[in-house]
Amino acid sequence: MPQEVSVSYQAVKSKVYRLIDALVMGEKTQADVQESIRRWWELIHPADRPVARKYLSMVLERSIMAIDSIEEGLGEANEQEIVRTSAAKALKIVDRVVKQHATLSGSAI
């Protein structure tokens, strides 16, 4: 008889995060992760599966929200970087124009 696994929220979260980490680190492929989650699911007692499904849904939903937040934060950082770069270029152009104007008019800044 196979060993049953814990279906606490923390246990489910740990399982999911370990699989994500293994995928990110290149230790597992997507197929490996899918097989691992299938084997894990089979170890959960059928009576505990509704609770496990609930916790799994919660962990995955929160993980997706975290990824979305990271993407949005990165997008905002890139936009700010573009604005800073554009502003710096604009300031250089203005500085160059002012210096050229000063040289043409004969006055020093």
Side-chain angles (χ1 to χ4, degrees):
M1 180 175 214
Q3 176 185 357
E4 293 179 5
V5 296
S6 173
V7 294
S8 70
Y9 177 81
Q10 185 61 40
V12 172
K13 185 176 87 166
S14 292
K15 178 64 177 178
V16 169
Y17 285 8
R18 280 194 309 271
L19 289 173
I20 291 171
D21 191 48
L23 185 62
V24 168
M25 297 301 293
E27 297 165 356
K28 288 186 181 276
T29 65
Q30 285 182 309
D32 294 335
V33 170
Q34 290 169 357
E35 180 58 30
S36 181
I37 206 73
R38 278 188 209 108
R39 282 180 298 170
W40 172 77
W41 190 256
E42 289 172 3
L43 292 175
I44 297 172
H45 189 279
D48 293 334
R49 289 181 182 170
V51 173
R53 182 175 283 119
K54 174 185 166 189
Y55 290 156
L56 183 58
S57 293
M58 289 171 60
V59 169
L60 293 175
E61 182 179 322
R62 290 175 182 170
S63 298
I64 290 168
M65 288 187 329
I67 291 169
D68 288 345
S69 296
I70 291 167
E71 287 178 340
E72 288 175 23
L74 184 58
E76 289 173 8
N78 285 338
E79 287 174 11
Q80 289 175 356
E81 187 176 299
I82 290 168
V83 169
R84 281 190 215 120
T85 303
S86 298
K89 286 179 182 177
L91 287 174
K92 286 180 183 178
I93 291 170
V94 168
D95 188 44
R96 196 174 326 142
V97 168
V98 169
K99 285 180 181 177
Q100 286 175 351
H101 183 280
T103 302
L104 292 175
S105 65
S107 61
I109 298 179

